[in-house]
Amino acid sequence: MTDAGHHAHRLELERTRTLALLALLSRDFDGIVAASADSNADDEHDPEGATIAFERSQAGTMITQARDRLAEIEAALERVHGGTYGTCEVCGARIPDGRLEARPTARTCVLHAPGVADPRGRT
């Protein structure tokens, strides 16, 4: 399998796992909403209300994170198919294989990774 084929295969597996997780989280969220819909509880005054609100918020956040992850994976797959996967979007340098193994959706080399300070003092 070529490097591009290897990375595409890994990304497709990750996409499948992320879609399954997203479906599970969506069912959980729907269940939380359905369970609280029949209740006339006021989250602010009901002792269980805070727990329900927390669970709904937590499930919603996890769904957002899974959707963001799915978008990253799909963008990486587009780069694989477009021939630009493994190329830093900032400087055009080759992204090291170790970085791509650790973070298959990486868009930049380590030097240009978000939050990494430039050794010349710039961020």
Side-chain angles (χ1 to χ4, degrees):
M1 184 179 299
T2 65
D3 280 347
H6 167 74
H7 292 297
H9 179 71
R10 285 189 65 220
L11 288 163
E12 287 291 350
L13 288 174
E14 188 62 27
R15 182 179 183 278
T16 299
R17 282 191 286 264
T18 303
L19 284 169
L21 175 62
L22 189 53
L24 178 66
L25 291 170
S26 294
R27 281 193 304 273
D28 286 351
F29 183 83
D30 291 346
I32 293 167
V33 170
S36 64
D38 293 334
S39 170
N40 61 359
D42 177 358
D43 279 2
E44 186 176 337
H45 298 101
D46 179 27
E48 290 297 317
T51 302
I52 293 169
F54 173 77
E55 288 175 0
R56 188 174 47 237
S57 176
Q58 186 178 34
T61 298
M62 291 172 70
I63 288 170
T64 298
Q65 290 172 341
R67 285 181 180 151
D68 291 347
R69 177 74 177 147
L70 184 60
E72 289 177 16
I73 292 165
E74 289 177 346
L77 283 166
E78 286 179 21
R79 292 192 301 277
V80 168
H81 298 302
T84 60
Y85 182 81
T87 302
C88 178
E89 292 181 349
V90 175
C91 68
R94 173 99 176 97
I95 300 172
D97 287 335
R99 176 161 169 74
L100 292 173
E101 285 298 318
R103 187 174 174 90
T105 59
R107 295 173 177 264
T108 61
C109 63
V110 175
L111 179 64
H112 294 109
V116 174
D118 187 315
R120 296 167 290 209
R122 295 178 277 184
T123 55

